[in-house]
Amino acid sequence: MPTTDAAPPGFDERLEAARAAGVILATATTQQKNDALSAIAAALRASVAEIVTANGIDLDNGRAGGLSDGLLDRLRLDHARVESLAVAVEQIVGLADPVGEVARGSSLPNGVRIAQVRVPFGVVGAIYEARPNVTVDIASLALKSGNASVLRGGSAAENSNRALVGLIQGALASVGLPSDAVQTVDDFGRDGANALMRARGLVDVLIPRGSAQLINAVVTESTVPVIETGAGVVHIFLDASATTEWAVEIVHNAKTQRPSVCNTVETVLVHAGAAERLLPPVLDRLAASGVTVHADDRTRAVWPDAVAATAEDWGTEYMSLDVTVGVVDSVDEAIAHIRRYSTRHTESIITNDLRNAERFLNEVDSATVMVNASTRFSDGGEFGFGAEVGISTQKLHARGPMGLPELTSTKWIVRGDGQVRI
Amino acid sequence: MPTTDAAPPGFDERLEAARAAGVILATATTQQKNDALSAIAAALRASVAEIVTANGIDLDNGRAGGLSDGLLDRLRLDHARVESLAVAVEQIVGLADPVGEVARGSSLPNGVRIAQVRVPFGVVGAIYEARPNVTVDIASLALKSGNASVLRGGSAAENSNRALVGLIQGALASVGLPSDAVQTVDDFGRDGANALMRARGLVDVLIPRGSAQLINAVVTESTVPVIETGAGVVHIFLDASATTEWAVEIVHNAKTQRPSVCNTVETVLVHAGAAERLLPPVLDRLAASGVTVHADDRTRAVWPDAVAATAEDWGTEYMSLDVTVGVVDSVDEAIAHIRRYSTRHTESIITNDLRNAERFLNEVDSATVMVNASTRFSDGGEFGFGAEVGISTQKLHARGPMGLPELTSTKWIVRGDGQVRI
């Protein structure tokens, strides 16, 4: 039963409209949903000037309000980024529709047949900050998986999100699907975010995306089931046997390719037995790309240009061209350090030692664990899921990069011929 | 990072011991875990007299404290029930170990290989009431799935649970696994239950089982992710075309075979077009087994022995030999009634109309939906999962009867040869 305390006037009605639209989406055909996605991609391209203009207002407000460079980068929509949004939506057209997929099934000894079938959640809520591409990603993935979506994108991206939700609603209506299936509650301000977290019975699952602070607030305050997506204090461990070139290229890629996102490395640990071999080329390469190295004393003994790491640095998600570097004496010490400081998002080991690779994969308790690859691959797009809903750092329901199946539930369908239980 | 406010002294230490034991269980072989399960089954049989004695104290206390017949039935452990517990544990030996199973996997275009592998959660918490069989079920299923378990079984079953946990810990130690892997926090009383709900970072998932009140308290107060298991206000709809014999036998079985459990029917809806044909034999059969029929006026016009249903009856989980009966004019009205009053656990339609059957299966938003079968089949044991963890009424992670795979998470394992993201 719906229970919402102190929802602002009109809020519950909007969520009930989303729920009613979700019932229609749940039985829409794959073709109808794909037509809507194609219409969204076309609308993004047709409205690119309008989107960039709306985004420009948000960027100006953000600069005036003192947003960091990292946040301004997340907020920015230029022509190229709108085009990649449209391409990502078109990729979703090509993905398999998870609704109706039979996950498991069998016949019981008495002839009763059971099947576990994928069904949409109903209404997916999202709370995020300053990242308007999430509006398009979540609305499109929710649509393909048969869900309505209710979005709270935050005041910093309010103009961008209003433009994007408007064009998505228009695209839905243009193919005969209910425009209520994608809603924003940005106009309710902070009250809307609070009401969304208490909308148990109206919203089936809530996905927070943004700062650790935002995610913690949603996780502890929400009575709606949450999928925690995550802050990434991501580690790379350079083992004693690491190939120098791989260490240099993977650390450089993981730190500098897009510093403002969650799968970017924040801490590099190096085995003492390889510190003198690996640290100079790895850190020279980072420094040449403008990275500030925060390091422990053992690292600074080998590479003196580093600034001294503070206690907080080891747990910091910089979202900027900064990295923390430390020397450890063993793979055990590396794993223990990661257990202590990691947000359990993504960690990678660079090694040629099979036993250490297997230990790292088994004992590091993170959503994605890697050997000899850049942490930047921990991403729904890279994994082939199309645009991603987020990267779950919890263990329930979904863990790691989420795609379409993660936006569905299941139901058991049981067919009998009058059987009773004996 | 572990955050627990106001945990009683010794509580965090016990959970940390469970977590450390869980790390060992996570890499235990299937053979080791099966040996432990066989030892538990043997210990249950060897200690049956001691268990029944301990349970007798709980039953005496329960009777003195005014527990209902339904709750006393849930609490009772006699020789036959201990034997079925041992048999259920032995069935788990025969079930496939979900740990290490590859759920999905592929090679990316650049040669990076990704695999989504089932891993244990770590520590599973359970809060339940007056039902000591849950102690054995959850500890055994957690063990087979590589998880430690922390159990809060409630004061009404305290003596039974102490005996059961003691013998399980002994069985673990007897095969060389850590006895800390199964813990009770009953001795911390209510503080222990509260601390368990706040043990985010120490407990990975919390499963409440019991009254709607208990479940609501856990769902709203827990900061640990919860799997909501459920109160069952279960419906059977007798459609106009229902075969009389199936209607009579299925309703009788669904109400009387074990009235105190959650998959027992509570409300029967009958299509007006079949009310005169179906109600007399269906209700005569129920009455002959001692069922009290609470009914609307249209039902009482056909079958006058019913008492008038109150407004509350339509949403009541009786857990006793009572049933609410009403007449509806269409399958739409039946579905609308179910949407309003159901706890979304299990519903069944008795019909010979294919279109109505499909509509019921698609449009009733419950964990298990059935055609022409008793709702008593909505059960992990009946579905072939072995002893069950509970029946989830939420949509996240697990829905419906839960078995071993529902007690695991996954992690992504990524293997490369120096690849970086372009």
Side-chain angles (χ1 to χ4, degrees), chain A residues 1 104 121 200 228 253 340 361 364 367 371-372 376 395 397 399 406 409-412 414 416 418 421, chain B residues 1 104 121 200 228 253 340 361 364 367 371-372 376 395 397 399 406 409-412 416 418 421:
Chain A
M1 303 292 104
R104 287 187 277 182
F121 277 123
R200 196 172 173 86
E228 185 177 354
N253 182 259
R340 177 159 177 205
L361 295 176
V364 171
V371 179
N372 296 331
R376 289 278 293 126
K395 294 182 178 177
H397 184 73
R399 195 177 189 203
E406 283 70 29
S409 181
T410 54
K411 90 204 284 191
W412 284 97
V414 175
R421 185 161 164 188
Chain B
M1 300 296 103
R104 288 187 276 182
F121 277 124
R200 195 172 174 85
E228 185 175 354
N253 182 259
R340 176 158 178 205
L361 295 176
V364 171
V371 180
N372 295 332
R376 289 278 293 125
K395 294 182 178 177
H397 184 74
R399 195 176 188 204
E406 283 70 29
S409 181
T410 54
K411 90 203 284 189
W412 284 98
R421 185 158 163 191

CSV table of all heavy atoms in Angstrom, one decimal, chain A residues 1 104 121 200 228 253 340 361 364 367 371-372 376 395 397 399 406 409-412 414 416 418 421, chain B residues 1 104 121 200 228 253 340 361 364 367 371-372 376 395 397 399 406 409-412 416 418 421:
chain,number,residue,atom,x,y,z
A,1,MET,N,0.8,-1.2,0.0
A,1,MET,CA,0.0,0.0,0.0
A,1,MET,C,0.9,1.3,0.0
A,1,MET,O,1.9,1.3,0.7
A,1,MET,CB,-0.9,0.0,1.3
A,1,MET,CG,-1.8,-1.2,1.4
A,1,MET,SD,-3.1,-1.3,0.1
A,1,MET,CE,-2.4,-2.6,-0.9
A,104,ARG,N,14.3,-19.4,-15.4
A,104,ARG,CA,14.3,-20.8,-15.0
A,104,ARG,C,13.0,-21.4,-15.2
A,104,ARG,O,12.0,-20.7,-15.2
A,104,ARG,CB,14.6,-20.9,-13.5
A,104,ARG,CG,16.0,-20.6,-13.1
A,104,ARG,CD,16.3,-20.9,-11.7
A,104,ARG,NE,15.9,-19.8,-10.8
A,104,ARG,CZ,16.0,-19.8,-9.5
A,104,ARG,NH1,16.5,-20.9,-8.9
A,104,ARG,NH2,15.7,-18.8,-8.7
A,121,PHE,N,10.1,-3.9,-13.3
A,121,PHE,CA,9.8,-3.5,-11.9
A,121,PHE,C,8.5,-2.8,-11.8
A,121,PHE,O,7.7,-3.0,-10.8
A,121,PHE,CB,10.9,-2.5,-11.4
A,121,PHE,CG,12.1,-3.1,-10.9
A,121,PHE,CD1,13.4,-2.8,-11.5
A,121,PHE,CD2,12.1,-4.1,-9.9
A,121,PHE,CE1,14.5,-3.4,-11.0
A,121,PHE,CE2,13.3,-4.7,-9.4
A,121,PHE,CZ,14.5,-4.3,-10.0
A,200,ARG,N,7.5,4.4,-0.9
A,200,ARG,CA,7.3,3.0,-0.9
A,200,ARG,C,5.9,2.6,-1.4
A,200,ARG,O,5.0,3.1,-0.8
A,200,ARG,CB,7.6,2.4,0.5
A,200,ARG,CG,7.9,1.0,0.5
A,200,ARG,CD,8.3,0.5,1.9
A,200,ARG,NE,8.4,-1.0,1.9
A,200,ARG,CZ,9.4,-1.6,1.5
A,200,ARG,NH1,10.5,-1.0,1.1
A,200,ARG,NH2,9.4,-3.0,1.4
A,228,GLU,N,22.5,0.8,-4.7
A,228,GLU,CA,23.6,1.7,-4.4
A,228,GLU,C,24.6,1.7,-5.5
A,228,GLU,O,25.2,0.7,-5.8
A,228,GLU,CB,24.2,1.3,-3.0
A,228,GLU,CG,25.3,2.3,-2.5
A,228,GLU,CD,25.8,1.9,-1.2
A,228,GLU,OE1,25.3,0.9,-0.6
A,228,GLU,OE2,26.8,2.5,-0.7
A,253,ASN,N,46.3,5.3,-18.4
A,253,ASN,CA,44.9,5.3,-18.9
A,253,ASN,C,43.9,5.4,-17.8
A,253,ASN,O,42.9,6.1,-17.9
A,253,ASN,CB,44.7,4.0,-19.7
A,253,ASN,CG,43.4,3.9,-20.4
A,253,ASN,OD1,42.5,3.2,-19.9
A,253,ASN,ND2,43.2,4.6,-21.5
A,340,ARG,N,40.5,-2.3,3.4
A,340,ARG,CA,40.3,-1.2,4.3
A,340,ARG,C,39.7,0.1,3.6
A,340,ARG,O,38.8,0.8,4.2
A,340,ARG,CB,41.6,-0.9,5.1
A,340,ARG,CG,41.5,0.3,6.0
A,340,ARG,CD,42.5,0.3,7.1
A,340,ARG,NE,42.4,1.5,7.9
A,340,ARG,CZ,43.4,2.0,8.6
A,340,ARG,NH1,44.6,1.4,8.6
A,340,ARG,NH2,43.2,3.1,9.3
A,361,LEU,N,41.8,-11.9,-7.5
A,361,LEU,CA,40.5,-12.0,-8.0
A,361,LEU,C,39.5,-12.6,-7.0
A,361,LEU,O,38.4,-12.2,-6.9
A,361,LEU,CB,40.5,-12.9,-9.3
A,361,LEU,CG,41.2,-12.4,-10.5
A,361,LEU,CD1,41.2,-13.4,-11.6
A,361,LEU,CD2,40.6,-11.0,-11.0
A,364,VAL,N,39.8,-10.1,-3.2
A,364,VAL,CA,39.3,-8.7,-3.2
A,364,VAL,C,37.8,-8.7,-3.4
A,364,VAL,O,37.3,-9.2,-4.4
A,364,VAL,CB,40.1,-7.9,-4.3
A,364,VAL,CG1,39.5,-6.5,-4.4
A,364,VAL,CG2,41.6,-7.7,-3.9
A,367,ALA,N,33.1,-5.2,-6.8
A,367,ALA,CA,32.1,-5.5,-7.8
A,367,ALA,C,32.8,-6.0,-9.1
A,367,ALA,O,32.4,-7.0,-9.7
A,367,ALA,CB,31.2,-4.3,-8.1
A,371,VAL,N,42.6,-8.4,-13.9
A,371,VAL,CA,44.0,-8.7,-14.1
A,371,VAL,C,44.5,-8.0,-15.4
A,371,VAL,O,43.9,-8.2,-16.4
A,371,VAL,CB,44.3,-10.2,-14.2
A,371,VAL,CG1,45.7,-10.5,-14.4
A,371,VAL,CG2,43.7,-10.9,-13.0
A,372,ASN,N,45.5,-7.2,-15.3
A,372,ASN,CA,46.2,-6.7,-16.5
A,372,ASN,C,45.3,-5.9,-17.4
A,372,ASN,O,45.3,-6.1,-18.6
A,372,ASN,CB,47.0,-7.8,-17.2
A,372,ASN,CG,48.1,-8.4,-16.4
A,372,ASN,OD1,48.6,-7.7,-15.5
A,372,ASN,ND2,48.4,-9.6,-16.6
A,376,ARG,N,39.2,1.5,-16.3
A,376,ARG,CA,38.2,2.2,-17.1
A,376,ARG,C,37.3,1.3,-17.9
A,376,ARG,O,36.2,1.7,-18.4
A,376,ARG,CB,38.9,3.2,-18.0
A,376,ARG,CG,39.5,4.4,-17.4
A,376,ARG,CD,38.5,5.5,-17.1
A,376,ARG,NE,38.1,6.1,-18.3
A,376,ARG,CZ,36.8,6.2,-18.6
A,376,ARG,NH1,35.8,5.8,-17.8
A,376,ARG,NH2,36.4,6.7,-19.8
A,395,LYS,N,25.7,-5.6,-3.0
A,395,LYS,CA,25.7,-7.0,-3.4
A,395,LYS,C,24.3,-7.6,-3.7
A,395,LYS,O,24.2,-8.6,-4.3
A,395,LYS,CB,26.3,-7.9,-2.2
A,395,LYS,CG,27.8,-7.6,-2.0
A,395,LYS,CD,28.4,-8.4,-0.9
A,395,LYS,CE,29.8,-8.1,-0.7
A,395,LYS,NZ,30.4,-9.0,0.4
A,397,HIS,N,20.8,-7.9,-5.7
A,397,HIS,CA,20.2,-7.7,-6.9
A,397,HIS,C,21.1,-7.5,-8.1
A,397,HIS,O,21.1,-8.2,-9.1
A,397,HIS,CB,19.2,-6.5,-6.9
A,397,HIS,CG,18.4,-6.4,-8.2
A,397,HIS,ND1,17.4,-7.3,-8.5
A,397,HIS,CD2,18.5,-5.5,-9.2
A,397,HIS,CE1,16.9,-6.9,-9.7
A,397,HIS,NE2,17.6,-5.9,-10.1
A,399,ARG,N,25.3,-6.1,-9.1
A,399,ARG,CA,26.6,-5.7,-8.6
A,399,ARG,C,27.5,-5.4,-9.8
A,399,ARG,O,27.5,-6.2,-10.8
A,399,ARG,CB,27.2,-6.9,-7.8
A,399,ARG,CG,28.4,-6.4,-7.0
A,399,ARG,CD,28.9,-7.6,-6.2
A,399,ARG,NE,29.9,-7.1,-5.2
A,399,ARG,CZ,30.8,-7.9,-4.7
A,399,ARG,NH1,30.9,-9.2,-5.0
A,399,ARG,NH2,31.7,-7.5,-3.9
A,406,GLU,N,19.2,-5.9,-15.2
A,406,GLU,CA,19.2,-5.4,-13.8
A,406,GLU,C,18.0,-4.5,-13.6
A,406,GLU,O,17.8,-4.1,-12.4
A,406,GLU,CB,20.5,-4.7,-13.6
A,406,GLU,CG,21.7,-5.6,-13.3
A,406,GLU,CD,22.2,-6.4,-14.5
A,406,GLU,OE1,22.0,-5.8,-15.7
A,406,GLU,OE2,22.7,-7.5,-14.4
A,409,SER,N,12.5,-7.3,-12.6
A,409,SER,CA,12.3,-8.3,-11.6
A,409,SER,C,11.8,-9.6,-12.2
A,409,SER,O,12.0,-9.7,-13.5
A,409,SER,CB,11.2,-7.8,-10.6
A,409,SER,OG,11.0,-8.7,-9.6
A,410,THR,N,11.4,-10.6,-11.5
A,410,THR,CA,10.8,-11.8,-12.1
A,410,THR,C,9.5,-12.1,-11.4
A,410,THR,O,9.2,-11.5,-10.3
A,410,THR,CB,11.8,-13.0,-11.9
A,410,THR,OG1,12.1,-13.1,-10.5
A,410,THR,CG2,13.1,-12.8,-12.6
A,411,LYS,N,8.7,-12.9,-12.0
A,411,LYS,CA,7.6,-13.5,-11.3
A,411,LYS,C,7.5,-15.0,-11.6
A,411,LYS,O,8.0,-15.4,-12.7
A,411,LYS,CB,6.3,-12.7,-11.6
A,411,LYS,CG,5.5,-13.2,-12.8
A,411,LYS,CD,4.6,-12.1,-13.4
A,411,LYS,CE,3.3,-11.8,-12.6
A,411,LYS,NZ,2.4,-11.0,-13.4
A,412,TRP,N,7.0,-15.8,-10.7
A,412,TRP,CA,6.8,-17.2,-10.9
A,412,TRP,C,5.4,-17.4,-11.5
A,412,TRP,O,4.4,-17.0,-10.9
A,412,TRP,CB,7.0,-18.0,-9.7
A,412,TRP,CG,8.4,-18.1,-9.2
A,412,TRP,CD1,9.1,-17.4,-8.3
A,412,TRP,CD2,9.4,-19.1,-9.7
A,412,TRP,NE1,10.4,-17.8,-8.2
A,412,TRP,CE2,10.6,-18.8,-9.1
A,412,TRP,CE3,9.3,-20.1,-10.7
A,412,TRP,CZ2,11.7,-19.6,-9.3
A,412,TRP,CZ3,10.5,-20.9,-10.9
A,412,TRP,CH2,11.7,-20.6,-10.2
A,414,VAL,N,2.8,-20.4,-12.5
A,414,VAL,CA,2.6,-21.8,-12.2
A,414,VAL,C,1.3,-22.3,-12.9
A,414,VAL,O,0.3,-21.6,-12.8
A,414,VAL,CB,2.4,-22.0,-10.6
A,414,VAL,CG1,2.0,-23.4,-10.3
A,414,VAL,CG2,3.7,-21.5,-9.9
A,416,GLY,N,-1.3,-25.5,-13.5
A,416,GLY,CA,-1.7,-26.9,-13.1
A,416,GLY,C,-2.9,-27.3,-13.8
A,416,GLY,O,-3.5,-26.7,-14.6
A,418,GLY,N,-5.6,-28.7,-11.7
A,418,GLY,CA,-6.3,-29.1,-10.5
A,418,GLY,C,-5.5,-29.7,-9.4
A,418,GLY,O,-6.0,-30.2,-8.4
A,421,ARG,N,-1.8,-29.8,-2.9
A,421,ARG,CA,-0.6,-30.3,-2.2
A,421,ARG,C,-0.9,-31.4,-1.2
A,421,ARG,O,-1.9,-31.3,-0.4
A,421,ARG,CB,0.0,-29.1,-1.4
A,421,ARG,CG,1.4,-29.4,-0.8
A,421,ARG,CD,2.2,-28.2,-0.5
A,421,ARG,NE,3.2,-28.5,0.5
A,421,ARG,CZ,4.0,-27.6,1.1
A,421,ARG,NH1,3.8,-26.3,0.8
A,421,ARG,NH2,4.9,-28.0,1.9
B,1,MET,N,32.5,0.8,5.0
B,1,MET,CA,33.1,0.8,6.4
B,1,MET,C,32.0,0.5,7.4
B,1,MET,O,30.8,1.0,7.3
B,1,MET,CB,33.6,2.3,6.7
B,1,MET,CG,34.7,2.7,5.7
B,1,MET,SD,36.2,1.8,5.8
B,1,MET,CE,36.0,0.7,4.3
B,104,ARG,N,27.1,-15.1,-16.6
B,104,ARG,CA,27.3,-14.6,-17.9
B,104,ARG,C,28.7,-14.4,-18.2
B,104,ARG,O,29.5,-14.3,-17.3
B,104,ARG,CB,26.6,-13.1,-18.0
B,104,ARG,CG,25.1,-13.1,-18.0
B,104,ARG,CD,24.6,-11.7,-18.3
B,104,ARG,NE,24.6,-10.9,-17.1
B,104,ARG,CZ,24.2,-9.6,-17.0
B,104,ARG,NH1,23.8,-9.0,-18.1
B,104,ARG,NH2,24.1,-9.0,-15.9
B,121,PHE,N,27.3,-13.8,-0.4
B,121,PHE,CA,27.2,-12.4,0.1
B,121,PHE,C,28.3,-12.1,1.1
B,121,PHE,O,28.8,-11.0,1.1
B,121,PHE,CB,25.8,-12.3,0.8
B,121,PHE,CG,24.7,-12.0,-0.1
B,121,PHE,CD1,23.6,-12.9,0.0
B,121,PHE,CD2,24.7,-10.9,-0.9
B,121,PHE,CE1,22.5,-12.6,-0.8
B,121,PHE,CE2,23.6,-10.7,-1.7
B,121,PHE,CZ,22.5,-11.5,-1.7
B,200,ARG,N,25.2,-2.1,9.0
B,200,ARG,CA,25.7,-1.9,7.6
B,200,ARG,C,27.2,-2.1,7.5
B,200,ARG,O,27.9,-1.4,8.3
B,200,ARG,CB,25.2,-0.6,7.1
B,200,ARG,CG,25.3,-0.4,5.6
B,200,ARG,CD,24.6,0.9,5.1
B,200,ARG,NE,24.9,1.0,3.7
B,200,ARG,CZ,24.1,0.4,2.7
B,200,ARG,NH1,23.0,-0.2,3.1
B,200,ARG,NH2,24.4,0.5,1.5
B,228,GLU,N,12.6,-8.6,1.7
B,228,GLU,CA,11.3,-8.6,2.4
B,228,GLU,C,10.6,-9.9,2.2
B,228,GLU,O,10.3,-10.2,1.0
B,228,GLU,CB,10.5,-7.4,2.0
B,228,GLU,CG,9.2,-7.2,2.7
B,228,GLU,CD,8.4,-6.0,2.2
B,228,GLU,OE1,9.0,-5.2,1.4
B,228,GLU,OE2,7.3,-5.8,2.7
B,253,ASN,N,-7.8,-27.4,-0.1
B,253,ASN,CA,-6.4,-27.7,0.1
B,253,ASN,C,-5.7,-26.4,0.5
B,253,ASN,O,-4.9,-26.4,1.5
B,253,ASN,CB,-5.8,-28.3,-1.2
B,253,ASN,CG,-4.3,-28.6,-1.0
B,253,ASN,OD1,-3.4,-27.9,-1.4
B,253,ASN,ND2,-4.0,-29.7,-0.3
B,340,ARG,N,-5.7,-4.2,-4.9
B,340,ARG,CA,-6.0,-3.4,-3.7
B,340,ARG,C,-5.6,-4.1,-2.4
B,340,ARG,O,-5.0,-3.5,-1.5
B,340,ARG,CB,-7.4,-3.0,-3.7
B,340,ARG,CG,-7.8,-2.2,-2.5
B,340,ARG,CD,-9.1,-1.4,-2.7
B,340,ARG,NE,-9.4,-0.7,-1.4
B,340,ARG,CZ,-10.6,-0.3,-1.1
B,340,ARG,NH1,-11.6,-0.5,-1.9
B,340,ARG,NH2,-10.8,0.4,0.0
B,361,LEU,N,-2.5,-14.0,-15.2
B,361,LEU,CA,-1.1,-14.2,-15.0
B,361,LEU,C,-0.3,-13.0,-15.3
B,361,LEU,O,0.7,-12.7,-14.6
B,361,LEU,CB,-0.6,-15.4,-16.0
B,361,LEU,CG,-1.1,-16.8,-15.7
B,361,LEU,CD1,-0.6,-17.8,-16.7
B,361,LEU,CD2,-0.7,-17.3,-14.3
B,364,VAL,N,-1.9,-9.6,-12.7
B,364,VAL,CA,-1.8,-9.7,-11.2
B,364,VAL,C,-0.3,-9.6,-10.9
B,364,VAL,O,0.5,-10.4,-11.3
B,364,VAL,CB,-2.4,-11.0,-10.7
B,364,VAL,CG1,-2.1,-11.1,-9.2
B,364,VAL,CG2,-3.9,-11.0,-10.9
B,367,ALA,N,4.3,-12.2,-6.6
B,367,ALA,CA,5.5,-13.0,-6.8
B,367,ALA,C,5.2,-14.3,-7.5
B,367,ALA,O,6.0,-14.7,-8.3
B,367,ALA,CB,6.2,-13.2,-5.4
B,371,VAL,N,-2.5,-20.8,-12.3
B,371,VAL,CA,-3.7,-21.2,-12.9
B,371,VAL,C,-4.0,-22.7,-12.5
B,371,VAL,O,-3.1,-23.5,-12.7
B,371,VAL,CB,-3.6,-21.2,-14.5
B,371,VAL,CG1,-4.9,-21.7,-15.1
B,371,VAL,CG2,-3.2,-19.9,-15.0
B,372,ASN,N,-5.2,-22.9,-11.9
B,372,ASN,CA,-5.7,-24.2,-11.6
B,372,ASN,C,-4.7,-25.1,-10.7
B,372,ASN,O,-4.5,-26.3,-11.0
B,372,ASN,CB,-6.0,-25.0,-12.9
B,372,ASN,CG,-7.1,-24.4,-13.7
B,372,ASN,OD1,-8.0,-23.8,-13.1
B,372,ASN,ND2,-7.1,-24.5,-15.0
B,376,ARG,N,-0.8,-23.5,-2.1
B,376,ARG,CA,0.2,-24.1,-1.2
B,376,ARG,C,1.5,-24.6,-1.9
B,376,ARG,O,2.5,-24.9,-1.3
B,376,ARG,CB,-0.5,-25.3,-0.4
B,376,ARG,CG,-1.5,-24.9,0.6
B,376,ARG,CD,-0.8,-24.5,1.9
B,376,ARG,NE,-0.2,-25.7,2.5
B,376,ARG,CZ,1.1,-25.8,2.9
B,376,ARG,NH1,1.9,-24.7,2.7
B,376,ARG,NH2,1.6,-26.9,3.4
B,395,LYS,N,10.5,-6.9,-5.1
B,395,LYS,CA,10.9,-7.1,-6.5
B,395,LYS,C,12.4,-7.1,-6.7
B,395,LYS,O,12.9,-7.5,-7.8
B,395,LYS,CB,10.2,-6.1,-7.4
B,395,LYS,CG,8.7,-6.2,-7.4
B,395,LYS,CD,8.1,-5.2,-8.3
B,395,LYS,CE,6.6,-5.3,-8.4
B,395,LYS,NZ,6.0,-4.3,-9.3
B,397,HIS,N,16.2,-8.2,-6.3
B,397,HIS,CA,17.1,-9.4,-6.1
B,397,HIS,C,16.4,-10.7,-6.2
B,397,HIS,O,16.8,-11.6,-6.9
B,397,HIS,CB,17.8,-9.2,-4.7
B,397,HIS,CG,18.8,-10.3,-4.5
B,397,HIS,ND1,20.0,-10.4,-5.1
B,397,HIS,CD2,18.8,-11.4,-3.7
B,397,HIS,CE1,20.7,-11.5,-4.7
B,397,HIS,NE2,19.9,-12.1,-3.9
B,399,ARG,N,12.4,-12.7,-5.8
B,399,ARG,CA,10.9,-12.6,-5.7
B,399,ARG,C,10.3,-14.0,-5.7
B,399,ARG,O,10.7,-14.8,-6.5
B,399,ARG,CB,10.4,-11.8,-6.9
B,399,ARG,CG,9.0,-11.3,-6.8
B,399,ARG,CD,8.6,-10.5,-7.9
B,399,ARG,NE,7.3,-9.8,-7.7
B,399,ARG,CZ,6.5,-9.4,-8.6
B,399,ARG,NH1,6.8,-9.6,-9.9
B,399,ARG,NH2,5.3,-8.8,-8.3
B,406,GLU,N,19.6,-17.4,-4.6
B,406,GLU,CA,19.1,-16.1,-4.0
B,406,GLU,C,20.0,-15.7,-2.8
B,406,GLU,O,19.9,-14.6,-2.4
B,406,GLU,CB,17.6,-16.2,-3.6
B,406,GLU,CG,16.7,-16.1,-4.8
B,406,GLU,CD,16.7,-17.3,-5.7
B,406,GLU,OE1,17.0,-18.4,-5.2
B,406,GLU,OE2,16.4,-17.2,-6.9
B,409,SER,N,25.6,-13.3,-4.3
B,409,SER,CA,25.8,-12.1,-5.1
B,409,SER,C,26.6,-12.6,-6.3
B,409,SER,O,26.8,-13.8,-6.5
B,409,SER,CB,26.5,-11.0,-4.3
B,409,SER,OG,26.6,-9.9,-5.1
B,410,THR,N,27.1,-11.6,-7.1
B,410,THR,CA,28.0,-11.9,-8.2
B,410,THR,C,29.2,-11.0,-8.1
B,410,THR,O,29.1,-9.9,-7.5
B,410,THR,CB,27.3,-11.8,-9.6
B,410,THR,OG1,26.7,-10.5,-9.7
B,410,THR,CG2,26.2,-12.8,-9.8
B,411,LYS,N,30.2,-11.3,-8.8
B,411,LYS,CA,31.3,-10.3,-9.0
B,411,LYS,C,31.7,-10.4,-10.5
B,411,LYS,O,31.6,-11.5,-11.1
B,411,LYS,CB,32.4,-10.4,-8.0
B,411,LYS,CG,33.6,-11.3,-8.4
B,411,LYS,CD,34.3,-11.8,-7.2
B,411,LYS,CE,35.3,-10.8,-6.5
B,411,LYS,NZ,36.2,-11.5,-5.5
B,412,TRP,N,32.2,-9.3,-11.1
B,412,TRP,CA,32.7,-9.4,-12.5
B,412,TRP,C,34.2,-9.6,-12.4
B,412,TRP,O,34.9,-8.9,-11.7
B,412,TRP,CB,32.4,-8.1,-13.2
B,412,TRP,CG,31.0,-8.0,-13.6
B,412,TRP,CD1,30.0,-7.3,-13.0
B,412,TRP,CD2,30.4,-8.5,-14.8
B,412,TRP,NE1,28.8,-7.4,-13.7
B,412,TRP,CE2,29.0,-8.2,-14.8
B,412,TRP,CE3,30.9,-9.3,-15.9
B,412,TRP,CZ2,28.2,-8.6,-15.8
B,412,TRP,CZ3,30.0,-9.7,-16.9
B,412,TRP,CH2,28.7,-9.3,-16.9
B,416,GLY,N,42.8,-9.3,-18.8
B,416,GLY,CA,43.3,-8.7,-20.0
B,416,GLY,C,44.8,-9.0,-20.2
B,416,GLY,O,45.4,-9.8,-19.5
B,418,GLY,N,47.1,-6.3,-20.8
B,418,GLY,CA,47.6,-4.9,-21.0
B,418,GLY,C,46.6,-3.9,-21.7
B,418,GLY,O,47.0,-2.8,-21.9
B,421,ARG,N,41.7,1.6,-22.3
B,421,ARG,CA,40.5,2.1,-22.9
B,421,ARG,C,40.8,3.3,-23.9
B,421,ARG,O,41.6,4.2,-23.5
B,421,ARG,CB,39.5,2.6,-21.9
B,421,ARG,CG,38.1,3.0,-22.5
B,421,ARG,CD,37.0,2.9,-21.5
B,421,ARG,NE,35.9,3.7,-21.9
B,421,ARG,CZ,34.8,4.0,-21.2
B,421,ARG,NH1,34.8,3.6,-19.9
B,421,ARG,NH2,33.8,4.7,-21.7
